[in-house]
Amino acid sequence: MRVVRTFTLKNALGLHARVAVMMVNTAKQFSADIYFERNGIVVNGRSILGILTLACPKGGTITITAEGEDAAGAMEAFEKLIESRFGED
Amino acid sequence: MAAQGLKKTIVLKGIGVSPGVACGKAFPIDHRPITIPYIEISDRDFLEKEVARFIRALDSSTAELEAIKNKLDAEEGIGPLIIEAHVMILRDTGFIRSTIETIRKRGINAEWALELTLSRYRDVFGRMEDVYLKDRIRDVEDVVHRVLRHLLGAGGEAISDIKEEAIIVAHDLSPAETVQMKGKNILAFATDVGGKTSHTAIVARSLSIPAVVGLENITKKVRKEDKLIVDGTSGVVIVNPDQETVRRYEDKKRHYRILEEDFIKGAGLPAVTKDGRGIGVGANIEFVEEIPSAIYHGANGVGLFRTEFFYVNREQSPTEEEHYEHYRIVVENKDIKWATFRTFDLGGDKFISDPRLAEEMNPAMGLRAVRYCLREPDIFEVQLRGILRASAHGNTGIMIPMISGLEEILEVKKIIEKVKDNLRARRIPFNEGIKLGIMVEVPSAAMVADALAREVDFFSIGTNDLIQYSLAIDRVNEHVGYLYRPCHPAVLRLIRYVVEAGHRAGIKVAMCGEMAGDPFCTMLLLGLELDGLSMTPLAIPLVKRIIREATMEEAKKLVNHVMGFDRTDQIEEYIKDYMRRRFPDYCAVADVE
């Protein structure tokens, strides 16, 4: 199964280090392949440096692709994480 | 001074990113490895060995970080995220693959391949606009350094060796390093690189310790155990300072500690007593970098600009042009209403070219300040020309230190006239009405203040030396330091006499010693009718606040009362008690001893 969704980052700093760590930790909970894409650049969802090099600012969009048995669950987890603004206030 | 003479005093200027002052010993952390070897390898088997070596270094680096993380987890419940991020970088597939491919394709050793991986990430991060994200390259660098250390078999981390109070000196501090500093007694940071948003700055502010970054090459100039002063407010680091400088900064530190946000709010308001007497409140500074702090803390002018550091640690004395450009920055500042430059108070020991003078027994009473200037008028004139030229740009005063009698000031005035003639001849503008004043810090000068007052435009009482000389106390001598008492009746009588003599001659009398910034003395000094007080910038808000809430009537009453005591301890007790009752809020904070 393959799921693709685009999200807008609403947290204060965008895709900074703390957020990248949370993204990687989320990806690691699933067996699906996970990719992040922004402005045509695709990176592995388990690569912290890849995620950081996307340089996604606040209000920027990223497209997440999950491919594998638990792709839907993975996407749900990312959605929760992003909608919760990564626990920032 | 002799013991200090072996180590050179150096002044370094960077960016103050976390305010406050620290004095202590340097603990350099040198984590910049090491020359990276470049080895070309053609044998495939050997290349695979390089790959394996790289993977082993990754594993041992990861194990090292995990151990740090576990330790911090155990201590604080939850480990710092930054260590987790570093572990993730160590396991980053892009990072690992890129390095392994480079080893294989380029046929080079692991260290060099790793360096190439790092430079690729430097390119990527360097192109980012977001300053915060851009700075994350530091994390990559830190991880790479760690792996390199393992590859090269270099020793473990220095931070764990920190046992006592230390000022950390480093090229840059990485998050992984700063978290390991938790629980250590770190007094301050001083680093080669960085900016206001760099990690070092953020951590320093969160720990409330001073930090100066962007010092460029402090790691090359400082060795372990060197004594350092770090002024995170003005961005100045002084390496191997002399005792007098240390004292001055200890004083600054004390004021910093008692300064509360609340006091700063009113710092910009004028220093006028309730019954309408205005006091000129100035700052004592020695670097132009201190001007913003002086203004922020409410200084109306610069009551004492020290110029000694201009001469320290250089082969040749500064030129007229250097003096001028430097002083001009001060007087041109629109928030600085006046600036008083004290001509250099140095002895021959600072001018190394003159060995005759190096063996003086008692430098405090030796050939220094105006005495030295009159002996070497050429050096003196260069500085005077610089100050005079700056006077064309703003309200400028010249102040001569260590005057002990009339002859000296007459001699100085002759030299100043000569310098003015020289400038007129060169058609270089200066303010013809520039004010000339003297430091009253030698007891003999205080006693002939009436005669001196007729020759100058202002007095500034330098209490540090005045007290030291009149009580015959070397205040840095720990055995007699307890006798150094600003409220000694003899000192108060001298101050009163100097003020009266100045006022009879129609000139202003200010004070620029540490006493001027001591909030406990503010009422006393008001009552003694000083016209101006100049002090370390951090002392200004509290002193100004006391002035604004006081009346001259009550201040004079206080002076009349304490002048009736014969003993220093009676005076001190009375004033402390009085101030505590009169200003309970401020004195509660100020009462740190």
Side-chain angles (χ1 to χ4, degrees):
Chain A
M1 187 165 69
R2 180 186 151 98
V3 192
V4 182
R5 276 197 60 181
T6 299
F7 297 95
T8 304
L9 294 189
K10 293 173 191 142
N11 65 310
L13 286 171
L15 232 176
H16 57 82
R18 197 179 71 90
V19 169
V21 168
M22 293 169 101
M23 294 287 227
V24 173
N25 278 334
T26 303
K28 280 202 287 196
Q29 289 164 22
F30 300 91
S31 64
D33 290 333
I34 291 163
Y35 298 96
F36 290 7
E37 186 256 308
R38 173 173 166 76
N39 295 337
I41 297 167
V42 182
V43 301
N44 188 325
R46 291 185 178 82
S47 161
I48 186 169
L49 291 176
I51 295 173
L52 285 175
T53 51
L54 291 178
C56 182
K58 181 195 181 184
T61 59
I62 54 164
T63 301
I64 301 179
T65 303
E67 207 169 346
E69 265 178 40
D70 52 4
M75 194 58 79
E76 212 173 292
F78 280 115
E79 181 182 358
K80 251 194 207 160
L81 185 62
I82 293 168
E83 292 307 316
S84 76
R85 303 184 184 204
F86 307 94
E88 291 173 17
D89 292 305
Chain B
M1 212 168 260
Q4 231 95 23
L6 299 170
K7 289 194 171 179
K8 256 192 187 170
T9 299
I10 307 171
V11 178
L12 299 169
K13 292 175 185 178
I15 311 161
V17 291
S18 181
V21 172
C23 307
K25 283 181 182 162
F27 191 99
I29 295 176
D30 186 13
H31 67 324
R32 292 294 287 178
I34 3 181
T35 351
I36 296 163
Y38 175 79
I39 305 165
E40 284 181 37
I41 301 166
S42 49
D43 188 312
R44 272 191 181 280
D45 289 344
F46 282 130
L47 280 177
E48 286 316 304
K49 279 185 181 157
E50 281 302 298
V51 172
R53 207 164 65 83
F54 171 60
I55 291 170
R56 273 201 307 278
L58 286 178
D59 288 345
S60 51
S61 300
T62 309
E64 189 180 70
L65 277 181
E66 297 279 12
I68 294 168
K69 185 171 176 296
N70 288 340
K71 187 166 165 272
L72 291 168
D73 278 350
E75 281 165 12
E76 309 189 13
I78 182 153
L81 188 104
I82 196 69
I83 301 276
E84 203 177 337
H86 282 205
V87 172
M88 280 182 181
I89 295 173
L90 281 167
R91 291 178 176 157
D92 191 291
T93 46
F95 175 77
I96 298 171
R97 199 181 302 140
S98 155
T99 310
I100 293 177
E101 276 173 17
T102 308
I103 295 174
R104 288 183 178 143
K105 284 192 183 149
R106 299 271 305 256
I108 52 173
N109 57 325
E111 290 88 348
W112 199 261
L114 189 55
E115 187 66 18
L116 290 176
T117 300
L118 175 60
S119 63
R120 274 193 287 276
Y121 281 109
R122 278 205 182 104
D123 284 347
V124 176
F125 280 89
R127 280 195 297 272
M128 292 180 184
E129 280 169 22
D130 183 312
V131 181
Y132 174 81
L133 275 176
K134 216 186 180 91
D135 236 25
R136 299 284 63 76
I137 188 63
R138 303 259 171 254
D139 292 316
V140 186
E141 286 171 347
D142 191 63
V143 169
V144 168
H145 290 150
R146 187 180 296 277
V147 179
L148 279 171
R149 229 181 27 243
H150 284 272
L151 279 170
L152 293 163
E157 295 194 69
I159 297 165
S160 52
D161 298 341
I162 299 172
K163 297 281 184 287
E164 43 191 30
E165 290 188 335
I167 292 176
I168 301 294
V169 175
H171 179 73
D172 192 16
L173 286 172
S174 69
E177 284 168 335
T178 50
V179 294
Q180 294 170 68
M181 289 176 193
K182 285 210 174 101
K184 306 268 183 195
N185 210 340
I186 309 296
L187 301 174
F189 296 145
T191 61
D192 289 340
V193 298
K196 288 230 183 270
T197 58
S198 67
H199 177 73
T200 307
I202 294 161
V203 172
R205 287 196 291 269
S206 74
L207 295 174
S208 297
I209 62 171
V212 179
V213 302
L215 289 156
E216 291 180 1
N217 55 6
I218 186 166
T219 47
K220 294 204 174 66
K221 301 211 160 155
V222 168
R223 267 166 294 180
K224 196 157 186 243
E225 301 281 298
D226 274 352
K227 199 160 175 64
L228 294 187
I229 292 171
V230 175
D231 181 349
T233 308
S234 57
V236 172
V237 174
I238 303 171
V239 186
N240 293 319
D242 61 32
Q243 282 175 320
E244 178 57 35
T245 308
V246 172
R247 267 198 58 91
R248 203 151 64 231
Y249 275 86
E250 290 286 353
D251 184 51
K252 218 170 163 173
K253 200 164 90 184
R254 197 168 53 84
H255 286 296
Y256 190 78
R257 213 163 43 217
I258 64 176
L259 186 61
E260 299 215 330
E261 273 308 305
D262 185 40
F263 296 145
I264 295 178
K265 281 182 201 148
L269 299 170
V272 179
T273 63
K274 277 193 166 151
D275 44 3
R277 178 165 162 88
I279 304 294
V281 174
N284 296 350
I285 61 174
E286 53 202 315
F287 303 107
V288 291
E289 286 80 1
E290 292 176 286
I291 294 173
S293 163
I295 294 166
Y296 175 72
H297 289 103
N300 302 118
V302 173
L304 167 61
F305 193 96
R306 298 188 175 90
T307 60
E308 292 75 35
F309 273 113
F310 228 42
Y311 293 84
V312 164
N313 191 41
R314 47 189 299 165
E315 297 288 314
Q316 274 155 354
S317 297
T319 63
E320 173 186 327
E321 208 61 32
E322 283 176 78
H323 280 292
Y324 165 61
E325 288 300 340
H326 203 75
Y327 303 149
R328 182 178 158 170
I329 294 172
V330 185
V331 299
E332 273 189 342
N333 189 306
K334 59 182 186 338
D335 292 315
I336 299 288
K337 305 284 178 256
W338 81 93
T340 302
F341 297 93
R342 183 177 73 184
T343 57
F344 67 86
D345 182 355
L346 291 172
D349 56 327
K350 300 278 167 144
F351 296 91
I352 36 172
S353 55
D354 203 344
R356 280 176 300 162
L357 310 162
E359 286 175 30
E360 275 193 277
M361 287 296 291
N362 189 342
M365 294 191 183
L367 183 57
R368 54 174 267 226
V370 71
R371 304 165 183 185
Y372 185 81
C373 290
L374 293 176
R375 167 87 74 99
E376 303 284 345
D378 291 350
I379 300 176
F380 190 37
E381 283 170 24
V382 173
Q383 182 175 31
L384 289 174
R385 283 199 295 272
I387 301 174
L388 277 161
R389 286 176 60 188
S391 74
H393 304 279
N395 194 357
T396 308
I398 303 176
M399 180 153 72
I400 312 294
M402 282 287 282
I403 292 283
S404 64
L406 197 61
E407 300 88 328
E408 283 165 336
I409 193 63
L410 293 174
E411 194 70 26
V412 167
K413 285 174 83 172
K414 265 189 220 157
I415 294 174
I416 291 176
E417 278 316 308
K418 188 180 144 198
V419 170
K420 284 183 175 173
D421 285 342
N422 169 295
L423 290 175
R424 284 185 203 107
R426 287 157 65 201
R427 296 186 186 283
I428 293 175
F430 65 93
N431 179 2
E432 291 280 352
I434 187 170
K435 294 213 164 23
L436 171 68
I438 60 167
M439 292 275 286
V440 179
E441 53 189 337
V442 180
S444 60
M447 294 313 297
V448 297
D450 51 339
L452 290 166
R454 291 192 289 269
E455 297 298 331
V456 295
D457 304 306
F458 65 91
F459 284 158
S460 188
I461 302 177
T463 46
N464 300 3
D465 276 346
L466 185 64
I467 296 166
Q468 163 158 279
Y469 295 140
S470 52
L471 304 183
I473 298 305
D474 177 359
R475 62 189 191 136
V476 297
N477 180 329
E478 55 190 279
H479 302 297
V480 294
Y482 72 99
L483 288 170
Y484 180 91
R485 307 275 275 276
C487 291
H488 193 293
V491 176
L492 300 187
R493 286 181 204 183
L494 282 172
I495 294 171
R496 183 165 67 178
Y497 179 74
V498 172
V499 175
E500 283 171 2
H503 286 174
R504 269 200 304 276
I507 68 168
K508 299 236 172 180
V509 183
M511 177 180 285
C512 64
E514 269 166 38
M515 192 178 180
D518 184 348
F520 273 112
C521 295
T522 305
M523 286 298 280
L524 181 69
L525 299 178
L526 274 179
L528 285 165
E529 295 192 66
L530 283 143
D531 303 294
L533 299 173
S534 192
M535 63 202 79
T536 182
L538 297 167
I540 293 173
L542 192 47
V543 169
K544 265 185 144 179
R545 193 172 272 229
I546 291 172
I547 293 171
R548 280 201 304 276
E549 290 186 20
T551 63
M552 285 303 286
E553 195 191 336
E554 58 177 333
K556 281 185 192 168
K557 224 183 245 171
L558 171 70
V559 168
N560 283 336
H561 195 89
V562 298
M563 284 300 200
F565 292 124
D566 299 322
R567 290 168 53 139
T568 312
D569 52 2
Q570 287 173 321
I571 298 175
E572 285 171 350
E573 270 316 302
Y574 188 84
I575 294 175
K576 278 196 177 157
D577 193 52
Y578 180 92
M579 294 301 283
R580 281 200 193 103
R581 271 186 290 110
R582 179 66 179 77
F583 304 98
D585 295 352
Y586 315 150
C587 291
V589 239
D591 197 6
V592 286
E593 258 98 329

